[in-house]
Amino acid sequence: MYRAILCDDNEIILEGLKTQVQWQKLGIELSATAVNGQEALSLIQRYKPDILITDIRMPYIDGLELSRKARMLNPQIVILIISAYDDFEYARSAIHLGALDYILKPINIDSLNQLLATAADTCKKQHHDQHTIITNIFKSLLIPSNRTAEALALLDENGVMLDQYCCVMLAELNQNRTMGLSEEIKYSIARKFSGIGKDNIADNVYQLEVTDTQYLFLLTSVSRLQLSILRTELFQRIRGLFPANHDYTDVSIAAGNFYLGLDHISRSYADAKEAMKLHFIKGSNADLLYEEIAVYASNEKAKQIAAQMDSGIDLIPALKAGNRDAVNLRLNDLRQWLLQKGSDSYLYMTVSIGSFYNNLSRELEESGINIRELFDDPVSEFSKITSSGTLDSCIENLRTSLYQICDYITKNQSKYGKIISEALAYMQTHYQDSNLNIDVVANAIGLSPSYFSTIFRSEAGITFTDYLIRLRMEKAKTLLENGNMKIYEISQQVGYENAAYFSAAFKKYFGKSPSLFTSESTPAARPDQR
């Protein structure tokens, strides 16, 4: 509805026009009426109308001066002049001031309705044009730049309040499913998205970017509560078009934080992109809010797992033992660790699985097994896992791959292989015990130390002592990289009661002391603290 102010010093004419004109049918709301120019100017400042209908000859401020002042307040305002025959020259002056048209007294209601319909169409076109201009300015604010102040000034010139709340929302289609769609269906999807906002929330919703798989919206409001309602409405609007059980595509929707001030649009946009990464955790067709990231990051159990997790070393003993139950436990730990990473979980999944495959290949080769005997193309297997789309689907694909390895190893193990696998699993769970040695492990699996030492080296390709040192050093390295523990605490955590002895062993193994290792690795991990 377009707002209108009607001004005439004849109250009988005012009442007649209020009741006889088809305001609602024309899409116009008559916000107020005035009997003089001064009152009308006050009402214009208050209601900010789209249309002004005014007589020329009025007390205090005449219609021409009122038109000038109204145009200064709102350059887009549509002005209609009411004039008596002998005021024709005044009417022509009003047209020169930019009035749309004039109507002569006595007023013909049908003619006035036609003129108001033209005024409403003009408003519609102007609103569309202005909306387009403002949308383009908003686009320039998505990325911080040295032209931000200039863009904000342009918004101000176009009548946009700069101290509004803002929120950016991002709708993303599943790329893999979208690629296989026909051009007709892709066009249908684009049409649905282009229609979003063309309803009662249109004035507050701007569609900023469109690609084949992404649609970007900016929401604005002077009220935080209204912005929250608007965000919910847009979620519902998109979900109505693309329900979770949609038969040809999945749509994830992410929303950035609310910020007061349009100069923070870029921050909300960055938030929305971070929130979208959560679809890796929550799955397709998810509604994602930036504030949810903190929920995943604050999981204390996951933080403990993150401090101790080394996905390659933890999984490999279970695999070499052919123990599916142990593999499942390690995968649950891996999932919790990745959940703790929140929006960075996909990156950590890619890195940790890559690291795992490298370690796995090395460990299996040391045991006389070539990973290419299991998979024709290990790189392709890795890509299949990391491109699964969601965290849970990645874990399931990884589980399937690991079960293949378990079954292969179980089938091809030597008679001593299972014994050594049990020993490795025991060491994996007891390496923190400073009393762990070859006698303890041999006793745990029921062999004499000397016989166990011989078959361990034969099967593992490394002496027991060297393997235990490697296991403890790799664990220590992971804890140092996390940077949350003191060196003496790490020493005790990996089975060394004496911190000095631990430091010497660490330096011998890695060629640098624990403190030097930490100082070299911490800046790279935390560039904001350089």
Side-chain angles (χ1 to χ4, degrees):
M1 297 286 285
Y2 301 111
R3 295 182 295 273
I5 297 289
L6 175 61
C7 183
D8 197 300
D9 61 347
N10 188 320
E11 294 188 22
I12 296 175
I13 292 177
L14 278 181
E15 287 300 315
L17 295 179
K18 282 173 60 178
T19 57
Q20 294 180 49
V21 172
Q22 300 174 337
W23 300 103
Q24 294 291 323
K25 187 176 179 180
L26 292 166
I28 299 172
E29 172 193 335
L30 184 60
S31 300
T33 61
V35 295
N36 62 65
Q38 187 171 318
E39 182 185 7
L41 182 60
S42 177
L43 293 171
I44 290 170
Q45 292 169 329
R46 177 180 176 184
Y47 290 103
K48 298 178 175 55
D50 304 291
I51 302 170
L52 170 64
I53 308 112
T54 179
D55 191 10
I56 287 184
R57 292 187 175 179
M58 293 183 301
Y60 306 115
I61 300 176
D62 65 30
L64 295 180
E65 183 63 20
L66 178 63
S67 297
R68 289 191 190 93
K69 292 181 180 294
R71 181 73 69 197
M72 290 176 65
L73 292 171
N74 177 12
Q76 302 296 323
I77 193 168
V78 177
I79 300 172
L80 300 177
I81 298 295
I82 301 173
S83 173
Y85 287 104
D86 56 355
D87 292 331
F88 184 76
E89 287 301 320
Y90 288 115
R92 182 155 53 186
S93 298
I95 300 302
H96 290 159
L97 288 173
L100 176 67
D101 211 333
Y102 66 93
I103 188 167
L104 297 175
K105 294 181 179 180
I107 298 170
N108 180 287
I109 295 299
D110 290 337
S111 298
L112 181 57
N113 280 330
Q114 290 179 6
L115 191 55
L116 288 170
T118 302
D121 287 342
T122 301
C123 287
K124 183 177 181 180
K125 183 178 184 304
Q126 286 182 346
H127 275 234
H128 179 269
D129 292 344
Q130 187 177 32
H131 196 84
T132 301
I133 293 170
I134 292 171
T135 297
N136 288 330
I137 299 172
F138 281 142
K139 285 181 183 179
S140 70
L141 289 170
L142 287 173
I143 306 299
S145 73
N146 55 10
R147 303 191 66 179
T148 297
E150 179 183 343
L152 292 172
L154 287 172
L155 288 176
D156 189 43
E157 289 176 11
N158 280 274
V160 178
M161 293 177 58
L162 300 182
D163 57 347
Q164 296 185 76
Y165 286 94
C166 63
C167 172
V168 172
M169 292 180 65
L170 179 62
E172 186 173 278
L173 281 64
N174 183 301
Q175 189 168 8
N176 292 332
R177 294 193 64 185
T178 305
M179 285 175 62
L181 299 178
S182 67
E183 292 302 317
E184 183 179 355
I185 293 178
K186 290 180 181 178
Y187 177 71
S188 173
I189 293 173
R191 285 287 302 274
K192 287 181 178 181
F193 271 108
S194 67
I196 292 174
K198 292 182 179 179
D199 47 27
N200 62 323
I201 60 173
D203 287 344
N204 301 92
V205 176
Y206 300 84
Q207 193 171 105
L208 301 187
E209 286 187 358
V210 176
T211 68
D212 288 342
T213 58
Q214 284 192 343
Y215 296 83
L216 189 65
F217 300 92
L218 172 67
L219 287 59
T220 65
S221 178
V222 294
S223 161
R224 186 183 179 89
L225 175 61
Q226 287 300 319
L227 188 63
S228 180
I229 294 171
L230 187 60
R231 182 179 69 178
T232 301
E233 288 179 352
L234 191 53
F235 270 122
Q236 293 172 346
R237 185 91 163 85
I238 298 175
R239 281 284 161 249
L241 294 172
F242 302 96
N245 59 352
H246 207 275
D247 58 352
Y248 56 77
T249 192
D250 302 326
V251 180
S252 297
I253 314 167
N257 261 344
F258 293 173
Y259 290 98
L260 178 58
L262 299 183
D263 53 327
H264 295 303
I265 289 173
S266 61
R267 293 179 64 186
S268 189
Y269 177 44
D271 293 347
K273 291 191 291 185
E274 284 297 306
M276 182 57 73
K277 295 177 184 178
L278 288 175
H279 91 278
F280 180 66
I281 295 174
K282 298 187 69 176
S284 299
N285 286 312
D287 294 344
L288 311 165
L289 303 178
Y290 180 74
E291 50 262 38
E292 290 180 325
I293 292 177
V295 174
Y296 291 96
S298 63
N299 186 303
E300 290 302 323
K301 182 180 178 183
K303 285 182 179 179
Q304 291 179 351
I305 294 171
Q308 302 173 2
M309 185 76 179
D310 182 327
S311 57
I313 294 177
D314 279 356
L315 273 165
I316 289 171
L319 285 171
K320 294 177 74 173
N323 190 335
R324 285 193 174 198
D325 291 338
V327 167
N328 279 328
L329 288 174
R330 294 292 179 262
L331 287 176
N332 289 337
D333 286 348
L334 176 61
R335 182 178 182 278
Q336 288 297 320
W337 183 64
L338 291 168
L339 283 173
Q340 185 270 335
K341 301 303 178 184
S343 61
D344 289 329
S345 58
Y346 180 77
L347 172 63
Y348 277 85
M349 165 61 90
T350 306
V351 172
S352 61
I353 297 302
S355 173
F356 163 71
Y357 268 102
N358 286 333
N359 292 337
L360 175 64
S361 179
R362 185 185 69 247
E363 291 271 349
L364 292 180
E365 285 177 5
E366 289 177 356
S367 299
I369 299 172
N370 188 340
I371 196 171
R372 291 186 180 275
E373 295 176 15
L374 291 93
F375 307 113
D376 292 334
D377 184 359
V379 175
S380 175
E381 187 71 16
F382 164 71
S383 298
K384 182 177 73 175
I385 292 169
T386 56
S387 62
S388 300
T390 67
L391 175 60
D392 287 337
S393 61
C394 281
I395 294 293
E396 286 310 307
N397 284 340
L398 179 58
R399 192 187 314 276
T400 300
S401 178
L402 297 186
Y403 280 176
Q404 286 181 256
I405 298 172
C406 274
D407 294 344
Y408 179 90
I409 291 175
T410 301
K411 181 180 177 181
N412 292 278
Q413 262 184 345
S414 70
K415 68 175 183 177
Y416 299 119
K418 190 170 184 180
I419 295 173
I420 298 304
S421 294
E422 290 177 5
L424 293 176
Y426 185 88
M427 294 170 71
Q428 182 65 41
T429 55
H430 292 83
Y431 71 90
Q432 294 173 312
D433 184 355
S434 61
N435 294 317
L436 184 69
N437 57 36
I438 194 167
D439 293 339
V440 172
V441 178
N443 182 63
I445 61 174
L447 295 176
S448 69
S450 60
Y451 182 54
F452 170 64
S453 174
T454 300
I455 65 171
F456 187 96
R457 181 163 188 167
S458 174
E459 292 293 322
I462 186 174
T463 67
F464 174 89
T465 301
D466 287 344
Y467 183 86
L468 180 58
I469 291 172
R470 184 175 76 182
L471 174 60
R472 285 172 165 168
M473 291 301 105
E474 292 295 337
K475 292 289 186 181
K477 175 174 173 279
T478 301
L479 295 175
L480 283 168
E481 287 173 339
N482 287 330
N484 297 322
M485 300 175 66
K486 298 183 183 300
I487 291 176
Y488 77 87
E489 293 173 328
I490 294 174
S491 171
Q492 295 173 355
Q493 187 78 18
V494 297
Y496 289 86
E497 291 184 345
N498 188 307
Y501 181 55
F502 161 71
S503 295
F506 189 94
K507 184 174 182 180
K508 182 177 180 180
Y509 187 85
F510 286 108
K512 60 186 72 176
S513 66
S515 56
L516 179 59
F517 178 87
T518 302
S519 66
E520 288 179 350
S521 61
T522 301
R526 299 172 183 169
D528 57 318
Q529 294 181 5
R530 288 178 180 175

